[in-house]
Structures are given as C-alpha cells and as structure tokens.
Amino acid sequence: MGGSVDEEPVAAIRDAFAYLELLAREAPAAHFDEPLRHVAPSPTADAAEGDGATADRARQLAGEIRGKFERQQRRDMGSTALLDVARELLAGHGVDELLRLVCRRARTLLSLDIAYLCLYDQKTESHVVNAVDGHSSDLTPGFVVPPGAGLANPATRRAAPVWTQDYLADARITHSASIDEVVRAEGLRAIIAVPLGGHGAHFGVLYAGHRTVRHFSPEEVALLGTLGEMAGAALENAGLLDELRAETTARGTEAVRVGEELRSARRLAEAQAALMERTLDGSSLPQLLATAGDLLGGSVLLADATGRTVVGRGADEAHPASEAFTAAALAARAKDAPVESAPGVWIAPVRGADDRLGHLVLHRAEPPTAEDAGLLRLCGQAVALLVRPGAVTEETVLREELAEALLVGGEWIGQRLLAHGRSVGLDLAAPFVVVAARPVAGLTDRALAWAAAYTRDHGGLRVRIDDHLVLLLPGEDAAEAARTVEAFARGTGCPATVGAAGPVTGGPGALPAAYDGSVRCLGTLTALGAVGKAASAQQLGPVMTLLSHERDVDGFIRATIGPVLDFDARRSADLAVTLEAYYAAAGSPTRAARRLYLHPNTVSRRLDRITELLGAQWQDLTAGLDIQLALRLHRTRESLAPCPESVDG
C-alpha cells in the first residue's frame, strides 16, 4: 500500500515533464496525445481514473500554454510585419504607389484573397476605388461605392474595423446591388473594412476579403486596424509630400521658364544689336537678310505679295506665286506672326510706320519658335528702317548729281563727279542699263526709299527727274532689270510702271541715248494702258516708235536696217528693194526674183549679204515685223522728201 502511494506523484511528475519537453521543443499539437498513450494501467479502477484525469489536466494545461505561445508568436510576427510595412510606408512613395502597397500588405498580413482601397471624395461624399490587389473580376479603380451601403459607413462611424464572416448572407448589412454584384463576381464571403484616418481626418476605407467563410480573430482585427492607422498617416504625409513635390516641380519649371526667357531676351537683344549695326553701317538688304538667316539658322528672303523673291540669297528658294502663299501672307499679317505656306517655308510680314513693305520668307526645316518669331519681327523692323526715306546727306547729293550728269550728258561732267563714281565702286566702263520708273501713286517718300534701297543693293545710282525715277544699274539685260525693279517696287507696296533700255557698253557718253529710250519705253507702256507693268525698249520695238510721245523714226530706221541702207548708198546694191520684194513674196526667194525680174541666184546672194549685215536673226518673226515697218517708214519718208529741182526752183 505504501508502494502505490509513492508511485502516483512519480507518474504525475513524469507526465508533467513529458508535456514540458513537448512545449520546450515546440512540438505540433498532434504530439500532445503521446503521453496519454504511455500512462501505465493501474491495478484498481480508482487509480486508473486518477492517472487519466491527471494526464488530461496536464495535457490541457500544456495546450493552453502552447496556444498562448502561438498567439504571442503571431502577435510578434504581426508586429514585425507591421514594422516592415511601416518602413515601406515611410520610404517616400507617391500616393498612387502607396495605395497599391497598402493593398498588397493587407493581403499578405492575414493571408487574404483580395484587398482594395477606397478614398473618400468630399465633392461627391462617396468612396471611390483607387487601388486593387488580387482581384479576378472587373473591379477596377474608379468604381464608386454607393453611399450608405456596405461596411464603409459602420467602419467610418465607429472609427474601427468592421467585419463579417459571410457578406452576402449577413442581414445586418445594408446591401447594394452594385456592391453585391462585385462581391458575387469575386466569390467573396468574409470581408473586413478598416477606416483610414489620421489626426481626426478621414481618408477612406481599406477592404480585405476571403473567398471562404472566415472568422477574424481580435489579433487580426487589431493588426489590420493598426495598418489602417499607419496607412492614414502615410497617406497624409504622402499627400503633403506630393504637394511639396508638385510645388518644387512648379518652382523648378518656373525657374527654367524664367531662365529660358532671360536667355531669349539676351539673344533678342544681341540679335537686335547685330541687325541695327547692319542697318546703320550702310549694309545692303542682302547683307541684312544674310545676317538674319544666320541668326535664325536658315535663309531669309524678301518677297513681294505673290511670293516672288525681291531681295535675298538663294533665288532658287523663292516661293512661287500661289494661293497658299497669298493665304499665308494674309494670315501672317493678321496674326503678326510667322505662318507656314509650304513645308519648310514660313512667311512673316514686314511693316513700316503704317505700310506693308512686303514679306520675309524663312526657309528652315524646323518651325520657328516664339523667340524666332521675335527675331523675324526685329528683322522686319530693320528692313523697314533700311528702306525708309533717308536723310539728305552729302553722299546722297553727290550720287544724285553723278546720276543726273551721266544721264543728261554734256561737257559739264566734272572730274569730281567721275572720281566720286570710282570711290563708290561704279565702273563706268562696264555695261549698264537705264531704268525709268513712274510710281502709280506718285513720287512719295516710300517710292524714293525703295529706289534708294534697290540701287544701293545692286551697286547703281538713282535720281528723280520730273515725274519719274531713273535707275542706272550695272548689267546687260534691260528686260530682266525692268522686271526685277517692278517686282521690288510692287513687293514694297509701291507699284510702278517701268521701262528700260540698254545695255550701254561704249562708256558714259552713250548713257543719255539709253535714258531717252527708257523714257520713250515708259511713255509707250502708259499709252498702251499697261500701268504697273514693265518692259524694255527692245521688247516693245516698233510699238514704241508708233506710240511714244517722242517718236524717233530715224533712230528706229537706223537701228533696224541702217547697215542695209548704208550698203545700198555705197554700192547701189538695191538690198532694201530686195527685202521689200522678199517680204511681198511671203519669204520666197524664187517669187521675189520673178517680182524683180532677176535670176533666183542673184536674189539668194543679196539675201546672204543682208544676213551678213543684219545677222541671222533678221528672218525671225519679230525681227521681220520690225524690218518691214522700218522699210515702210523709210520708203514713205523718201517719197515725201522734196525733190532737189523743186528746192532749187
């Protein structure tokens, strides 16, 4: 009896040690049944019942202790996870990235299936989904949670997490068709809603859900509640940080803009100085436009209203006359800004004090910036300044005196004027053409300005005589000179009728005759009603002789068939008679021979002689008309001349 009494405490101690060992090595719950299987059977029923009760109590106590350890371990793990989350939330994320991070961590903390975060919109007083993690349906950011339904209101009102083990089956919840549809689409059962707040502010609600029925433990609810508080504080900081970043970015952008404006203003000031230097140092328009092209990284031309280049390098870049150019020019003048008329072609107006002086045409692949538009305006002002009516200076007076002396002629062309011509780069031995221009609006200051600018640009002279301007220009093509001067005048808003004669290659002595020819050409254009047009004396030919106010019939005859008449006077060859018969026979040497009662070979030899005297072009249609008119005038004048006998009598 004494032995049995001693064995009972020993067995109990042994069982307690067994459970302590299980607890020490953190054995799984299934192992806690093993000590019961090793309890030795007692000889009496009372002893057996006592041993079993002692073992059950030891097992129960061990299970409770183990549960406390597990709960503490879960709390420690949750605290560690929250610390990790806190570190992540404090990493300075933007609001959008922070929302996604909170959703992801809410899922991983409690091993849930889905998490989505709704921010509160004060304007609509509703919650809007801003981030989702783990969804499988079309629940996307932007979904509006109906106000008054779901778990948001209870969670917000209590300022604490609210959960349900089975959302659709929970009658305590105010259901909404749209929310229920999402819950059903996601297959959710258990849902917990955690308010996000900080410092008395409400930012939104964090939802987390499971696709099976689940009871959330107090530790889990507390864990998500702490996450909600941390997320609210982080959102508040992130909002402030985003505002600070936005303000910093705005200030940086403003600083960059101010810097760009300062650089632009400095560049415009430097450009204005360069253009004004070109304007004031006597530079020509081509030089001024070349400077503008260098500043703008392209080429700049001065064009008239149709787009035809008036001044500028690169004549092949001239924009052809077109409706597109006209439309762009009108738009550019209305906007006072460059307008594209064709790929890589930009048009800007040139304005004087109150007049349109033409258009600047910029050829460049890249569109002009606002700074480039300012440069073009400066260039337009410089062009307007360069072609303005200049002040009367000694230089101007000397150049006009020289031009008038050369055109009027006479012995009074002094050595001082000739020396001045050489000093201004005028080579009087080179070919020249003489252009007479009568502005349609009269000799205004603007007309004098464009004439001065044109002659300066082309190395010539100009002078005002009576109601017209006379330009003495280096060159050999009178027709081209007339066309170019007319285009320039029209492009500057001052159209003119232009006549030209030349070239003069025999020195300054032949310039007066060329001037007379240009004036007669101008009179012929006026008589024809061709006001604002241009032509040369050679182009008008006999028409000029018939219509001009000063009809130089003898000069026309001498210029057209003079060599033939001289040959007839020396040799009595009857070349003029042969020409008349040739034209009367419609250009047939055989029929002309029959008219003259000569052998065809004789007529052919005479025609060959005429070719030697007049050149091969005498048989051209235009030249033929001039020759026929000259022959008719010569024959008429000869027939009307008084006979020598009548004079003597």
Side-chain angles (χ1 to χ4, degrees):
M1 184 171 175
S4 62
V5 173
D6 293 338
E7 289 179 0
E8 288 181 7
V10 172
I13 293 172
R14 184 178 62 248
D15 294 340
F17 272 111
Y19 282 110
L20 288 175
E21 289 177 356
L22 291 174
L23 291 173
R25 67 171 185 263
E26 297 181 357
H31 291 188
F32 280 70
D33 293 332
E34 292 181 2
L36 292 177
R37 289 195 294 268
H38 295 291
V39 175
S42 297
T44 64
D46 293 338
E49 183 178 353
D51 291 343
T54 302
D56 285 340
R57 179 58 179 164
R59 177 179 178 279
Q60 181 181 359
L61 291 174
E64 291 177 1
I65 295 172
R66 180 178 178 279
K68 291 180 180 180
F69 286 164
E70 288 179 349
R71 287 193 296 274
Q72 184 62 43
Q73 188 177 24
R74 285 196 297 270
R75 284 195 292 269
D76 292 343
M77 292 175 60
S79 299
T80 302
L82 282 177
L83 287 175
D84 292 339
V85 172
R87 293 191 187 95
E88 290 182 314
L89 297 180
L90 294 175
H93 302 287
V95 172
D96 293 338
E97 185 179 358
L98 180 63
L99 296 177
R100 292 191 295 270
L101 177 62
V102 171
C103 288
R104 189 163 55 250
R105 290 296 170 259
R107 283 187 64 204
T108 57
L109 279 175
L110 301 185
S111 300
L112 297 171
D113 294 324
I114 186 174
Y116 56 98
L117 195 151
C118 300
L119 292 183
Y120 181 68
D121 187 348
Q122 293 182 349
K123 294 181 179 179
T124 61
E125 296 184 349
S126 59
H127 292 84
V128 181
V129 175
N130 285 79
V132 185
D133 190 71
H135 62 298
S136 60
S137 67
D138 58 353
L139 178 63
T140 57
F143 176 79
V144 178
V145 178
L151 300 177
N153 280 350
T156 304
R157 187 172 57 253
R158 298 177 187 177
V162 174
W163 62 274
T164 176
Q165 63 181 3
D166 193 349
Y167 184 89
L168 295 177
D170 197 335
R172 298 171 302 170
I173 300 173
T174 302
H175 288 270
S176 166
S178 58
I179 297 178
D180 290 356
E181 181 180 355
V182 172
V183 172
R184 195 175 291 108
E186 288 289 342
L188 297 178
R189 303 294 293 274
I191 299 177
I192 184 171
V194 181
L196 305 179
H199 300 94
H202 173 63
F203 298 105
V205 177
L206 170 65
Y207 293 90
H210 210 64
R211 293 188 173 94
T212 60
V213 175
R214 174 171 174 173
H215 293 267
F216 292 96
S217 67
E219 291 84 0
E220 292 175 332
V221 174
L223 191 62
L224 278 186
T226 304
L227 176 62
E229 294 177 0
M230 294 168 55
L235 282 173
E236 185 177 16
N237 292 334
L240 295 175
L241 185 59
D242 280 355
E243 291 179 4
L244 181 60
R245 286 171 176 166
E247 184 177 354
T248 303
T249 302
R251 291 182 180 275
T253 303
E254 180 68 13
V256 171
R257 186 188 64 79
V258 172
E260 290 293 335
E261 288 183 354
L262 289 175
R263 282 190 291 273
S264 177
R266 188 180 300 111
R267 185 186 175 203
L268 287 175
E270 294 173 353
Q272 186 176 29
L275 292 172
M276 288 301 102
E277 182 179 357
R278 282 293 189 188
T279 303
L280 299 176
D281 67 1
S283 298
S284 64
L285 269 178
Q287 291 173 324
L288 176 64
L289 296 175
T291 300
D294 294 338
L295 292 172
L296 289 163
S299 63
V300 180
L301 313 174
L302 180 62
D304 62 14
T306 66
R308 185 168 46 182
T309 298
V310 178
V311 178
R313 63 188 181 188
D316 57 331
E317 295 179 342
H319 194 287
S322 65
E323 294 182 0
F325 184 94
T326 303
L330 291 173
R333 190 162 66 252
K335 296 168 56 178
D336 196 22
V339 174
E340 188 176 25
S341 65
V345 180
W346 304 84
I347 303 173
V350 176
R351 300 181 186 275
D354 57 355
D355 297 312
R356 180 171 58 86
L357 301 177
H359 305 91
L360 292 178
V361 182
L362 171 64
H363 288 260
R364 198 179 76 173
E366 301 82 10
T369 62
E371 180 180 336
D372 296 331
L375 279 174
L376 278 172
R377 279 192 290 271
L378 288 176
C379 181
Q381 293 171 3
V383 169
L385 185 63
L386 193 62
V387 299
R388 76 193 191 287
V392 177
T393 62
E394 182 181 2
E395 171 77 11
T396 304
V397 173
L398 288 174
R399 292 178 73 92
E400 290 185 353
E401 287 182 356
L402 176 61
E404 186 173 5
L406 292 172
L407 295 172
V408 176
E411 298 296 331
W412 60 282
I413 303 178
Q415 292 299 318
R416 176 170 172 265
L417 289 179
L418 293 177
H420 182 68
R422 289 190 294 271
S423 69
V424 297
L426 199 65
D427 183 7
L428 297 177
F432 278 86
V433 295
V434 180
V435 178
R438 182 182 293 116
V440 175
L443 288 176
T444 61
D445 286 343
R446 187 151 52 116
L448 296 174
W450 71 250
Y454 190 89
T455 51
R456 181 172 61 247
D457 294 341
H458 291 78
L461 299 173
R462 69 106 172 91
V463 65
R464 172 180 178 173
I465 300 178
D466 297 332
D467 65 343
H468 58 272
L469 295 163
V470 185
L471 284 68
L472 181 61
L473 303 170
E476 301 182 11
D477 191 337
E480 176 64 18
R483 185 198 67 78
T484 306
V485 170
E486 186 276 328
F488 187 91
R490 178 161 37 86
T492 57
C494 186
T497 308
V498 181
V504 174
T505 57
L511 286 174
Y515 167 58
D516 290 340
S518 67
V519 173
R520 287 191 295 110
C521 181
L522 183 61
T524 301
L525 289 171
T526 304
L528 289 171
V531 177
K533 305 297 181 180
S536 67
Q538 184 179 7
Q539 287 176 311
L540 295 180
V543 177
M544 189 174 72
T545 302
L546 295 174
L547 298 180
S548 66
H549 296 297
E550 299 178 5
R551 298 178 177 85
D552 184 10
V553 176
D554 184 66
F556 173 68
I557 294 173
R558 296 300 307 172
T560 307
I561 58 173
V564 171
L565 298 179
D566 292 341
F567 191 86
D568 282 348
R570 293 194 307 269
R571 304 287 186 87
S572 300
D574 289 333
L575 294 183
V577 174
T578 303
L579 271 176
E580 289 177 322
Y582 174 76
Y583 286 119
S588 172
T590 302
R591 288 198 295 272
R594 285 200 296 268
R595 281 176 173 272
L596 297 172
Y597 301 100
L598 295 174
H599 193 279
N601 290 340
T602 302
V603 173
S604 296
R605 285 195 297 272
R606 289 183 179 181
L607 293 176
D608 291 340
R609 176 65 66 181
I610 291 171
T611 301
E612 293 177 3
L613 295 172
L614 300 182
Q617 70 275 9
W618 74 270
Q619 298 186 57
D620 295 342
L621 179 60
T622 302
L625 292 174
D626 293 352
I627 292 173
Q628 292 181 66
L629 179 59
L631 289 170
R632 180 66 61 86
L633 291 172
H634 172 67
R635 186 66 60 205
T636 302
R637 189 173 61 174
E638 289 293 320
S639 65
L640 296 177
C643 297
E645 293 80 3
S646 303
V647 175
D648 293 340

